[in-house]
Amino acid sequence: MNDIFHNLAFGFSVALQPQNLLFAAVGAFVGSLIGVLPGIGPVTGTALLIPLVVTTNPASAMIMLTAVFYGCMYGGSTTSILVNVPGEASSVPTTFDGHQMALQGRAGSALAISAIGSFVAGTLGVVALMLFAVPLAGVALAFGPAEYFSLMVLGLSTVSTLAGDSLVKALLSMIFGLILATVGGDLITGVDRYTFNIPEMLDGIDLVVAAVGLFALSEVLLIANQVVSGERRFAPIKRLWLSAQEFLQSWWAIVRGAVVGLIIGMLPGAGATISSFFSYGLEKRLAKDPSTFGKGDIRGVAGPESANNASAVGAMVPLLSLGIPGSSTAAIMMGALMIMNVIPGPQLFTRHPDVVWGLMASMYVSNAILLILNLPLVGLFVQILKIRERYLYPGIIAICVIGVFAVARSSLDLTMMVLLGVTGYYMRRNHYPLGPAILGLVLGPRLEQSMRQALIISNGSWLTFITRPISGVVLALAALSLALPYLISVVRRKPKVVLAEDV
Amino acid sequence: VRGDRLAAVVILLGGLAYIREALSYRGAAVGDVVGPMLYPLLLGILVVILAVFLFIGARPEKSEGTFQNVHFRPLLLAAAVLAYVLLMEPVGFVPTTFVFLVVATVWLGERSWPKSIGLAAGLTVVLWYVFNRIFELNLPMGFLRRLG
């Protein structure tokens, strides 16, 4: 226990350095601005800023990315409440009651409870992160390549089953990411694969290029038609704070949301979306009068918003201790670390303690900054939504191009970004979820490497993945996660069990 | 339904091409029991299997309108971005960004040319200043190099 306090004090000494404090504040502010843009959530927001943050040191970069991440989530809730446009899937439940509240002139209350809920959940989350990440990292030291391979398979399969409505399309998206990751020199033998004799392809496809193309550019292409046809309108805010009664009403929803978010967030691949939907369903089920939900019940905002934020912290547990990102955003942060030659995983705690503890402390600091920053800035964020989209989106494209140019500096990578943008556009139009693709791209090289190392150790026997106990159990869980949607759909067909309507 | 079926065929062919390429990778490293071929081969096989499932599972869907109504504007915007990124290095960041912003704002519905040109000019200057001066990214100068 003493160790934790000692380490945390060290973390705060990193996070509270003037430079890092500035990074956190700038990150939170920029993140909030980006998050408010319709359709741009944490994944796109952090992806956009990678090129800028990787020029600093790893600890500062992670501090800024975390702040951006939090800022984007908060900004996304703002648009969910004000204009009924969720920044990303995990903010969808917030629109159910949040936008209703805005229509009733209670936008101030909704925004305030979302900020408070996020702050409380984030605080509880950081405590849990400190308690669990170190023991888990200890366990992880005993993991061999077979265990890592199975864990990555579990992460990929859960993300795929939870994303989107078609499992086949989600798996295709995931394999698309894995295939993109095979481009470049083979790590073990050095054979060039899928480079087509183009020298620039030897390093593989840059994560930034893929993330910006698949997420940001595709989004702009997707809404091009809507931008031309009309603009969005929203109601004015009448009050900027919530009443004591509303606060008391939402308190337990916040605590429950935080617990739900943390637990679900720690599972590799489950992430924020499932936890915010789960929390909304839970609040509705626990309410004495469920019919108030969907009509502006503040608990319907407080629960999912807290869950959302807590799961963001939860996702850091497997990222830092196992090197396996628990969500798409965590995957992007892992990519940023890898660009800076910091490999997440158990060794991170000994090799880069400033990154680990600085990051944990800065999560707390970012939370506080966001709370201080955002409540007075609600008025400003509303102004951003007034920028005409036909000016906003061309500007976003220009920033994407600059971002890719900054890391890649080659027209081949820029061309690749455009091609991936069109691919992402096609995928979005046809309901292929994009999260699995980015997770596949990030995990791909390590997935193959650990598979081959495990097979080298076992002398080519595939049974090693099943006979090693931890690996076998994890693989069984992965198989279960793939089968589960089918089992649920079988159960759902019986009339009395109603799962879909609850959320 | 035709969309998903067509996509399934394209994905299937892509998967087969990927497998064909994978079969050409031979590793000679000592002790590497798997080699560079197996993993891409497995991925390719999964693609083929999933493509078959996609083809079988394709269900009729409501038509979203003609190609021209739905995809014309986004794809032309993508073409504009492509032209922008290809010309950026030879011509320079400032002129290409300015032209791209004018074209894109008009294409996204701005009817007033002076507004569009003014906004593009302002934004170009801001982006240039922020990313070149503050973040020191050394954006391509293009033909402006001779001037400054």
Side-chain angles (χ1 to χ4, degrees):
Chain A
M1 211 55 194
N2 263 333
D3 256 15
I4 288 174
F5 286 117
H6 176 78
N7 286 330
L8 197 66
F10 171 63
F12 273 105
S13 76
V14 175
L16 292 175
Q17 280 166 16
Q19 186 204 353
N20 289 343
L21 210 52
L22 181 71
F23 276 150
V26 170
F29 182 68
V30 172
S32 307
L33 290 184
I34 294 176
V36 168
L37 304 176
I40 296 190
V43 186
T44 314
T46 41
L48 264 176
L49 284 161
I50 284 186
L52 300 182
V53 301
V54 293
T55 54
T56 63
N57 64 72
S60 302
M62 285 319 282
I63 286 170
M64 190 159 174
L65 275 187
T66 318
V68 169
F69 179 22
Y70 273 146
C72 285
M73 292 213 301
Y74 187 76
S77 323
T78 310
T79 50
S80 303
I81 291 165
L82 292 179
V83 290
N84 207 13
V85 176
E88 57 146 15
S90 65
S91 312
V92 169
T94 308
T95 62
F96 299 160
D97 282 283
H99 190 60
Q100 287 301 316
M101 288 178 73
L103 291 178
Q104 296 162 8
R106 290 159 67 209
S109 303
L111 288 169
I113 204 67
S114 141
I116 294 168
S118 303
F119 176 73
V120 174
T123 307
L124 292 174
V126 173
V127 174
L129 178 59
M130 290 181 317
L131 295 177
F132 294 133
V134 179
L136 199 58
V139 173
L141 283 174
F143 282 15
E147 282 77 18
Y148 273 109
F149 173 81
S150 305
L151 267 176
M152 281 185 267
V153 171
L154 175 65
L156 288 167
S157 62
T158 41
V159 164
S160 304
T161 45
L162 295 173
D165 32 42
S166 158
L167 181 61
V168 172
K169 286 182 174 181
L171 289 174
L172 277 169
S173 169
M174 177 197 91
I175 291 179
F176 178 58
L178 291 175
I179 280 178
L180 288 181
T182 57
V183 174
D186 171 32
L187 289 167
I188 294 178
T189 58
V191 174
D192 298 349
R193 294 189 300 191
Y194 305 100
T195 56
F196 306 104
N197 294 324
I198 303 167
E200 287 98 327
M201 300 277 278
L202 270 177
D203 291 335
I205 293 169
D206 198 291
L207 185 76
V208 177
V209 175
V212 170
L214 280 176
F215 280 95
L217 185 59
S218 70
E219 176 67 29
V220 179
L221 296 180
L222 189 72
I223 61 169
N225 281 326
Q226 295 160 21
V227 172
V228 179
S229 60
E231 306 199 13
R232 299 181 173 119
R233 288 194 185 80
F234 53 93
I237 298 178
K238 287 176 188 155
R239 208 167 44 147
L240 285 173
W241 196 243
L242 75 168
S243 67
Q245 194 213 344
E246 284 174 319
F247 180 74
L248 290 174
Q249 212 185 349
S250 24
W251 178 248
W252 282 109
I254 289 175
V255 174
R256 281 189 295 264
V259 174
V260 164
L262 263 177
I263 295 172
I264 296 180
M266 275 192 270
L267 306 172
T273 308
I274 194 88
S275 67
S276 62
F277 273 94
F278 191 91
S279 165
Y280 189 86
L282 184 71
E283 288 312 314
K284 195 174 171 182
R285 213 165 297 174
L286 289 174
K288 279 189 193 123
D289 180 13
S291 69
T292 58
F293 278 78
K295 294 176 189 142
D297 193 308
I298 195 161
R299 287 167 293 180
V301 180
E305 280 299 305
S306 312
N308 198 346
N309 222 296
S311 78
V313 186
M316 292 293 158
V317 174
L319 173 66
L320 292 176
S321 52
L322 304 175
I324 292 174
S327 68
S328 307
T329 317
I332 286 185
M333 297 178 112
M334 180 168 157
L337 281 175
M338 294 191 319
I339 291 171
M340 291 180 289
N341 280 324
V342 176
I343 307 303
Q347 293 88 356
L348 191 66
F349 285 80
T350 46
R351 263 188 230 159
H352 298 277
D354 58 322
V355 175
V356 177
W357 299 106
L359 176 70
M360 290 189 196
S362 76
M363 290 176 112
Y364 196 77
V365 174
S366 308
N367 254 322
I369 289 176
L370 269 177
L371 190 68
I372 301 165
L373 197 70
N374 276 313
L375 293 173
L377 285 181
V378 167
L380 178 73
F381 294 144
V382 177
Q383 298 302 313
I384 290 196
L385 295 170
K386 284 185 181 162
I387 301 176
R388 301 242 163 129
E389 288 164 321
R390 56 181 182 252
Y391 304 141
L392 193 59
Y393 287 107
I396 289 176
I397 295 180
I399 292 172
C400 291
V401 169
I402 295 171
V404 169
F405 183 80
V407 285
R409 304 200 82 90
S410 82
S411 45
L412 184 82
D413 285 284
L414 285 164
T415 309
M416 189 88 79
M417 176 199 78
V418 180
L419 292 180
L420 286 170
V422 175
T423 311
Y425 166 77
Y426 175 83
M427 289 170 71
R428 280 183 197 263
R429 269 226 161 271
N430 293 285
H431 313 291
Y432 291 84
L434 290 169
I438 213 77
L439 199 66
L441 180 60
V442 169
L443 289 182
R446 296 186 62 212
L447 184 73
E448 180 182 8
Q449 210 185 353
S450 56
M451 179 189 100
R452 284 165 66 178
Q453 282 169 347
L455 288 172
I456 289 170
I457 294 169
S458 75
N459 238 329
S461 161
W462 288 85
L463 282 174
T464 180
F465 295 112
I466 301 166
T467 50
R468 289 178 68 105
I470 299 175
S471 170
V473 169
V474 172
L475 271 188
L477 283 176
L480 186 69
S481 82
L482 285 177
L484 208 59
Y486 289 104
L487 298 178
I488 288 176
S489 77
V490 170
V491 173
R492 247 185 217 165
R493 269 184 217 129
K494 293 178 186 165
K496 277 194 177 173
V497 185
V498 187
L499 285 169
E501 273 103 348
D502 281 350
V503 286
Chain B
V1 56
R2 264 169 63 203
D4 270 354
R5 290 245 155 117
L6 187 65
V9 173
V10 172
I11 291 168
L12 182 79
L13 293 176
L16 290 175
Y18 186 81
I19 291 173
R20 217 191 100 174
E21 182 71 17
L23 291 173
S24 72
Y25 300 134
R26 307 254 176 245
V30 181
D32 182 18
V33 287
V34 179
M37 178 224 284
L38 183 77
Y39 175 77
L41 188 64
L42 289 176
L43 290 182
I45 292 169
L46 276 175
V47 169
V48 170
I49 295 171
L50 286 168
V52 171
F53 272 109
L54 186 66
F55 190 89
I56 297 169
R59 292 209 187 91
E61 235 174 84
K62 270 177 258 165
S63 150
E64 291 181 275
T66 61
F67 181 85
Q68 201 154 11
N69 285 341
V70 179
H71 299 296
F72 183 59
R73 198 177 296 275
L75 289 182
L76 215 67
L77 184 64
V81 181
L82 189 63
Y84 171 36
V85 300
L86 288 178
L87 292 174
M88 194 169 95
E89 266 193 297
V91 180
F93 175 81
V94 172
T96 46
T97 304
F98 171 73
V99 171
F100 170 74
L101 288 176
V102 171
V103 169
T105 45
V106 168
W107 188 235
L108 289 179
E110 179 55 62
R111 290 210 188 86
S112 152
W113 283 94
K115 256 191 178 176
S116 160
I117 289 170
L119 183 107
L123 194 55
T124 305
V125 170
V126 170
L127 290 175
W128 172 258
Y129 186 80
V130 170
F131 289 100
N132 213 47
R133 287 290 155 85
I134 299 178
F135 289 108
E136 297 182 341
L137 283 183
N138 280 322
L139 296 166
M141 290 289 278
F143 64 78
L144 287 175
R145 197 184 297 118
R146 267 166 263 155
L147 302 177

